Amino acid sequence: MLSSMTMTITVLIVIFVLLFDFINGFHDTATAVATTITTRALKPTTAIIICAIFNFIGAFAGTGVAKTVGESIVSHNKIQQWVILGVLISAIIWNIITWYFGIPSSSSHALIGALIGAGMAYNNSINVVNWNNLFHEVIIWIFIAPVIGFTVGYLLMKLLNYILKPFKLKIVNKIFLKLQIIAGALMSFNHGSNDAQKSMGLITMALLSGGLITTFEVPTWVIGSCALAMALGTACGGKKIIKTMGSGMAKLTPVNGFAAQTGGAAVIFLATLFHAPVSTTHIISTTVMGVGASKRFKSVKWGVAKNIVWAWVITIPITAALSALIIYIMKLFI
């Protein structure tokens, strides 16, 4: 028989996870719709609605990434349920800070950093973290995903420029304004397929830790809840980050937007196949940079890009430290 305390903590975790998913939705809306809005392929409201729908659908694409987050880095049997609350609070705080300042940081890495810090603080040991899994499933992808994104954006744009050279610019713009809608939907689907799974992983981790389930299988109601929370968050949008992503790094035309979104979607799909919880923000940012650099390297606003990269570098250490501090404070009262 489960105690009332266990049930209360479980409910709180589900609420906080869905809140994180909601914030993740409006924080990361820019990853899918920024270029579509900037090139005027769609009005902001229409673009965000399409993004929300395909984010929701994408969340049902699989659960491999959920297992990586919920079991492969810090095992559920190494921490108590209340520790997961500290993880969520830390990640939410960092998401709100970066959203407020318009910095397209990674919600994924905020969550992973917080999980690492909480696990070590609760156990007073670094050995609680499965460093081998962390390296192969997270750290490597932090470095290779942006490189792949930049390369794909650069090469795809070069290829499109070659193919479209004989055609008039007016015709090209007209066609790619329409194709951008498809590319945006594809990007949104892949964003949902990777990002929503991270929240599913935490809820499933909490259910295991509390003894409500016995194996790491993501329940259907968890998938549906996380999908809905992210879709609702996406519908609220994130105008500050959309501005940074859409025009802050490079001036984009419809064909540029199509190349960035299509390239970003392909890289995220590849990472999801490997069950890697990547940052969709990092990937679309670097595909935008790659597309911009295909014209000439000076066309990319490298000063803005540098600030974004710094946000990537510090996210995991800061959220790990913040999470550890919160866990130590919580220990005083629990």
Side-chain angles (χ1 to χ4, degrees):
M1 186 72 178
L2 295 171
S3 68
S4 59
M5 179 61 72
T6 298
M7 291 304 298
T8 300
I9 294 176
T10 301
V11 170
L12 284 174
I13 289 171
V14 171
I15 291 171
F16 272 84
V17 167
L18 296 181
L19 177 61
F20 172 82
D21 228 1
F22 178 85
I23 294 171
N24 188 7
F26 77 71
H27 187 278
D28 284 3
T29 297
T31 62
V33 301
T35 57
T36 306
I37 293 170
T38 303
T39 60
R40 294 186 171 87
L42 287 172
K43 292 180 180 179
T45 301
T46 306
I48 290 171
I49 289 173
I50 290 174
C51 179
I53 292 170
F54 281 90
N55 258 330
F56 180 84
I57 296 170
F60 289 87
T63 58
V65 175
K67 190 166 185 178
T68 297
V69 173
E71 188 70 0
S72 296
I73 298 170
V74 177
S75 177
H76 72 276
N77 55 26
K78 300 291 185 181
I79 58 175
Q80 291 188 31
Q81 273 191 318
W82 62 266
V83 177
I84 300 175
L85 283 176
V87 171
L88 292 163
I89 292 168
S90 307
I92 288 170
I93 289 172
W94 182 244
N95 263 3
I96 290 174
I97 291 172
T98 52
W99 165 79
Y100 180 80
F101 288 103
I103 302 169
S105 69
S106 169
S107 299
S108 309
H109 295 159
L111 197 61
I112 290 166
L115 186 60
I116 293 168
M120 291 193 295
Y122 176 72
N123 291 275
N124 292 316
S125 172
I126 64 172
N127 295 324
V128 68
V129 179
N130 190 323
W131 296 104
N132 183 61
N133 287 349
L134 178 67
F135 179 77
H136 286 96
E137 297 173 356
V138 178
I139 302 300
I140 285 179
W141 283 92
I142 288 177
F143 293 99
I144 67 170
V147 172
I148 296 172
F150 183 92
T151 304
V152 169
Y154 182 89
L155 294 177
L156 182 57
M157 195 62 241
K158 283 287 188 182
L159 177 63
L160 286 171
N161 283 336
Y162 178 78
I163 294 171
L164 299 171
K165 195 173 182 180
F167 301 95
K168 292 182 179 180
L169 182 61
K170 186 176 180 180
I171 295 174
V172 170
N173 285 341
K174 187 175 181 180
I175 292 172
F176 278 88
L177 277 173
K178 303 299 182 184
L179 289 177
Q180 257 200 283
I181 299 172
I182 298 172
L186 188 63
M187 180 67 200
S188 300
F189 177 87
N190 282 283
H191 174 262
S193 71
N194 196 284
D195 270 38
Q197 287 195 51
K198 297 152 193 171
S199 298
M200 297 176 205
L202 273 191
I203 292 181
T204 308
M205 185 183 195
L207 296 176
L208 266 174
S209 182
L212 282 83
I213 57 176
T214 56
T215 58
F216 198 99
E217 298 292 336
V218 182
T220 303
W221 69 266
V222 173
I223 298 173
S225 299
C226 291
L228 183 59
M230 177 168 283
L232 290 173
T234 301
C236 292
K239 293 182 181 178
K240 291 184 178 181
I241 297 174
I242 286 173
K243 183 178 179 181
T244 301
M245 293 282 292
S247 57
M249 290 183 293
K251 188 177 180 180
L252 300 175
T253 64
V255 67
N256 296 152
F258 172 83
Q261 289 173 308
T262 303
V267 177
I268 295 166
F269 177 74
L270 175 66
T272 303
L273 287 179
F274 284 91
H275 301 164
V278 294
S279 168
T280 53
T281 308
H282 290 194
I283 292 169
I284 191 62
S285 296
T286 49
T287 55
V288 169
M289 291 180 204
V291 166
S294 69
K295 303 176 188 177
R296 58 184 182 277
F297 272 79
K298 288 184 179 180
S299 67
V300 178
K301 298 174 184 177
W302 295 106
V304 176
K306 184 179 72 174
N307 293 335
I308 293 171
V309 170
W310 271 113
W312 299 350
V313 171
I314 65 175
T315 291
I316 287 181
I318 284 183
T319 51
L322 177 61
S323 182
L325 176 62
I326 289 173
I327 295 304
Y328 282 129
I329 293 171
M330 292 175 75
K331 275 185 175 181
L332 299 175
F333 300 96
I334 296 177

